[in-house]
Amino acid sequence: MAEAAGVSLTTVSYVLSGRGGGTTRISQPTQDRVHAAARELGYVPNRAARGMRRGRTDLVAVAVTDLEDDWDRELASAAAGILPRYGYQPVVLVGDSWRPFMLSGGADGVILGSVPADRSPADLETMAELVTRGVAQLVFSNTLDIDGVDVLPPETPGPDGAGPLFELAVATLAGRLRA
């Protein structure tokens, strides 16, 4: 790509990462050439590498039990539409896969759907571990009360659907992520 833009690899790295040029100012025409070359070559940044460097993934896991369940399916769909407005990409996980994903540092936060209403001991243990790591969590439940975890009751959707509840959930989690 550096050859395509006619600049050094260091300059390309600075421009594509959004960092300045250190003590050297990178002119706007040079930045434009780098971005044009990136588009032409179909460059896609490596999220994992960027996440390691920045210490965050910009991903939020949406953990649901069953996509056949109307409520969990609606949560996953709403999160996919709402999270990008807060600068996060959703990763929808079905079943128990959310635990190893989150414990491996897979996402900055997790929204746990309402099914099952009562969490398993393994779920509670994982949630407690994530609290110690400072990972933002939101769970829908009428029964749980966990320090460090935001809990919202899974209210029955009204005539306008569950959209306002899901918007509140994402806003709540996004606020914790930015804190």
Side-chain angles (χ1 to χ4, degrees):
M1 181 179 316
E3 292 174 7
V7 297
S8 74
L9 286 174
T10 303
T11 299
V12 170
S13 176
Y14 278 133
V15 170
L16 294 180
S17 70
R19 294 177 289 163
T23 57
T24 305
R25 182 178 147 3
I26 300 172
S27 71
Q28 191 59 52
T30 298
Q31 291 181 47
D32 293 345
R33 280 199 326 270
V34 169
H35 287 296
R39 278 190 306 277
E40 182 179 317
L41 295 171
Y43 169 76
V44 177
N46 183 318
R47 278 188 171 272
R50 182 174 282 181
M52 287 174 53
R53 181 176 55 80
R54 294 171 52 212
R56 64 178 211 254
T57 65
D58 293 333
L59 299 174
V60 169
V62 180
V64 297
T65 301
D66 183 1
L67 286 174
E68 296 299 318
D69 176 79
D70 291 340
W71 201 93
D72 272 357
R73 187 175 55 251
E74 192 173 339
L75 170 61
S77 178
I82 298 168
L83 280 166
R85 295 195 318 245
Y86 290 88
Y88 296 95
Q89 291 300 310
V91 176
V92 177
L93 303 168
V94 179
D96 294 331
S97 63
W98 75 272
R99 290 192 307 265
F101 183 80
M102 291 305 299
L103 290 172
S104 72
D108 298 332
V110 61
I111 298 172
L112 297 162
S114 68
V115 179
D118 294 319
R119 293 285 160 184
S120 71
D123 286 352
L124 297 174
E125 184 179 312
T126 299
M127 293 168 77
E129 173 61 26
L130 293 174
V131 167
T132 66
R133 296 181 186 189
V135 175
Q137 301 172 73
L138 182 136
V139 62
F140 288 98
S141 175
N142 286 320
T143 59
L144 293 178
D145 184 17
I146 303 170
D147 286 338
V149 176
D150 292 307
V151 180
L152 289 176
E155 301 165 359
T156 304
D160 297 330
L165 174 62
F166 296 147
E167 184 75 46
L168 173 63
V170 172
T172 299
L173 187 75
R176 184 175 287 268
L177 286 166
R178 287 182 177 30

